[in-house]
Amino acid sequence: MIGQQVIVTSFTSEQFTDFMKMIVRSEVRSELASYVPAAPKVVALPDFPSKRQTKEALGVTNMTLTNWSKPTKERPALLIPFKIGSRIRYRREDVLALLNDPKRLSAIQNKVSE
C-alpha cells in the first residue's frame, strides 16, 4: 500500500448508517441530475411483419415468439400469428403494443426466465 493512507476509526452502528445514507443520497442526487430518459423505440414495421422482423423488433428469439403465440393458464396469447400463403405473419398493431408496454414485456420475460 505505497502512497495510500489507512485511517482506522470507530463508528457506532447508527453513525455508520447515517454516514452511508449521506453518501448514497449524494450519489443518487448526482445521478438523477444527469439522468436523460431513453428515447422511445422507433420501429419501422410493415403492416404484417414477418417472423424475422417481429423477433428483431421485440429483441426475442424464435422460441419466445412461439411461446407468446400460445395461450397459457395465466394469460391469453400475446401475438396471434396468421398465414399469408405459406408465410407466418403478425399484426403490426400487436407488435407495437408489446413494444410500447415495457412493464408487460419485462413481466413476461421474468416469468419465462423463472
Side-chain angles (χ1 to χ4, degrees), residues 2-58:
I2 299 173
Q4 294 182 358
Q5 277 188 328
V6 177
I7 300 173
V8 179
T9 185
S10 62
F11 287 104
T12 64
S13 62
E14 293 83 20
Q15 288 173 326
F16 182 73
T17 302
D18 292 340
F19 180 69
M20 293 306 294
K21 285 180 182 177
M22 180 186 69
I23 290 172
V24 170
R25 284 185 193 131
S26 66
E27 287 179 11
V28 170
R29 273 191 300 246
S30 66
E31 284 182 28
L32 286 176
S34 63
Y35 175 73
V36 176
K41 289 184 180 178
V42 177
V43 179
L45 287 175
D47 289 338
F48 301 105
S50 67
K51 196 169 187 177
R52 181 185 54 80
Q53 292 167 324
T54 302
K55 75 175 187 159
E56 287 175 2
L58 294 171

Side-chain angles (χ1 to χ4, degrees), residues 43 45-49 54 58 78-80 82 89-101 104:
V43 179
L45 287 175
D47 289 338
F48 301 105
T54 302
L58 294 171
L78 301 172
L79 290 172
I80 299 173
F82 61 96
R89 301 292 178 173
Y90 298 89
R91 286 186 173 75
R92 180 174 184 247
E93 297 79 27
D94 296 342
V95 176
L96 293 178
L98 276 176
L99 264 180
N100 293 326
D101 193 359
R104 186 173 183 187

